[in-house]
Amino acid sequence: MERNTRQRDAILDVISGAGRPLSTQEILAAGKAAVSSLSIATVYRTLRDLVAEGHILPVKLPGEADRYEMARLDDHYHFKCSTCSKVFDIHDNIKKNNLHVPRNFVIDKYDLILYGQCSDCVPKH
Amino acid sequence: MERNTRQRDAILDVISGAGRPLSTQEILAAGKAAVSSLSIATVYRTLRDLVAEGHILPVKLPGEADRYEMARLDDHYHFKCSTCSKVFDIHDNIKKNNLHVPRNFVIDKYDLILYGQCSDCVPKH
DNA sequence: TTGTTAGTGATAACAATATATCAATAGCAA
DNA sequence: TTGCTATTGATATATTGTTATCACTAACAA
């Protein structure tokens, strides 16, 4: 970055304060609390720059647009609530030697995505 | 389906013979071996019907178009080769009680995707 | 065979992001 | 302050994968 703008600060604040990956629309909505004129174009541009600078990472789920969260979080995977569509970080990992692949296959990394109900959406009894 | 066409047979043969999930373009290319005039529109229409009839299932990977494989395969997950982009079935499963989620979260299902090199693409030494 | 009509092929249209454009605005160095 | 220009906001455009359209073809019952 070359200049420090209110828009950029607002976007980074929103992501670092969220504690879970946010969609571009969530970032736009939350960012408008700080800069009411904030445009979706600026959100996309700033996210691209923040990713390039290594501050944030895209979180990819099948069939869905990227969400974003702070980089350098602990090893973790993601949980998507099927009811409210929020995605949560699960700070845990699976041991790679528990994963069995065919002979001569090499594992670089893995993505584990859990689907279900978060505590706000699970039916009470 | 109402009629049994050469196109439909070719598409189902390609998928059932592949042993791994195929993209629409892979299905189109392989299907043309049997029906050289095969159109991508027919591929999409037939895939939609075969899914609706329960013969095949879409395989969803983050940021990628759906692939397709036969339904009623054993419990398994997927491995994507980062070099050749092929996706392979891994016939294994992880125990759900090995997965730790926050209190009051409920897991319905999970997707595990491994990334790395398949045996054809791993560097020989 | 033949007639009916489901299915096909070619391509236009669509949907859902994401990027490019450009005049206006606002960081920030001097 | 002022001036330069990076950044912004609004919106047009691009992109990618999928679906709709429609004239033509072929499956199959009679």
Side-chain angles (χ1 to χ4, degrees):
Chain A
M1 93 181 137
E2 309 258 341
R3 290 178 187 176
N4 214 35
T5 66
R6 295 187 306 127
Q7 288 84 348
R8 179 188 163 99
D9 287 347
I11 290 168
L12 199 45
D13 284 352
V14 164
I15 296 171
S16 70
R20 60 182 181 83
L22 298 181
S23 69
T24 53
Q25 289 302 324
E26 286 177 317
I27 293 165
L28 175 65
K32 282 190 171 182
V35 183
S36 62
S37 68
L38 186 64
S39 157
I40 189 63
T42 298
V43 171
Y44 276 110
R45 274 188 299 241
T46 305
L47 290 174
R48 183 190 53 204
D49 293 346
L50 290 172
V51 169
E53 293 163 17
H55 293 112
I56 65 175
L57 284 174
V59 173
K60 295 170 181 295
L61 268 70
E64 303 186 37
D66 288 357
R67 291 174 174 77
Y68 296 86
E69 67 181 0
M70 297 305 289
R72 302 186 220 300
L73 295 176
D74 289 341
D75 196 9
H76 69 286
Y77 43 79
H78 295 106
F79 179 103
K80 181 181 177 186
C81 177
S82 304
T83 301
C84 69
S85 296
K86 284 180 188 163
V87 173
F88 300 87
D89 288 342
I90 306 294
H91 291 279
D92 189 13
N93 61 82
I94 51 182
K95 288 93 196 153
K96 280 199 182 172
N97 58 2
N98 285 348
L99 302 174
H100 305 106
V101 292
R103 183 184 307 278
N104 293 329
F105 277 48
V106 176
I107 300 175
D108 286 338
K109 60 171 186 160
Y110 67 86
D111 254 358
L112 175 59
I113 306 163
L114 310 181
Y115 296 89
Q117 256 55 53
C118 76
S119 55
D120 288 342
C121 295
V122 71
K124 304 296 187 297
H125 53 81
Chain B
M1 81 173 147
E2 310 257 343
R3 291 179 188 177
N4 212 36
T5 66
R6 296 188 306 127
Q7 287 83 351
R8 179 189 163 99
D9 287 347
I11 290 169
L12 199 46
D13 284 353
V14 164
I15 297 171
S16 71
R20 61 181 181 82
L22 298 180
S23 69
T24 54
Q25 289 303 321
E26 285 177 317
I27 293 165
L28 176 65
K32 283 190 171 182
V35 183
S36 62
S37 68
L38 186 64
S39 158
I40 188 64
T42 297
V43 170
Y44 275 109
R45 274 188 298 241
T46 305
L47 291 174
R48 183 190 52 204
D49 294 346
L50 290 172
V51 169
E53 293 163 16
H55 293 112
I56 64 173
L57 284 175
V59 173
K60 296 170 180 295
L61 268 69
E64 304 186 36
D66 288 357
R67 291 173 174 77
Y68 297 86
E69 68 181 0
M70 298 306 287
R72 304 189 218 301
L73 295 177
D74 290 341
D75 196 10
H76 68 285
Y77 43 79
H78 295 106
F79 178 102
K80 181 182 177 186
C81 176
S82 303
T83 301
C84 69
S85 298
K86 284 181 190 162
V87 173
F88 300 88
D89 287 344
I90 305 294
H91 291 279
D92 190 13
N93 62 80
I94 52 180
K95 289 94 197 151
K96 280 199 180 173
N97 58 4
N98 284 348
L99 302 174
H100 306 105
V101 293
R103 182 185 307 279
N104 294 329
F105 277 48
V106 176
I107 301 174
D108 286 337
K109 60 170 186 156
Y110 67 86
D111 256 353
L112 175 60
I113 306 160
L114 310 182
Y115 296 90
Q117 255 57 51
C118 75
S119 55
D120 287 342
C121 296
V122 71
K124 304 296 185 300
H125 51 83

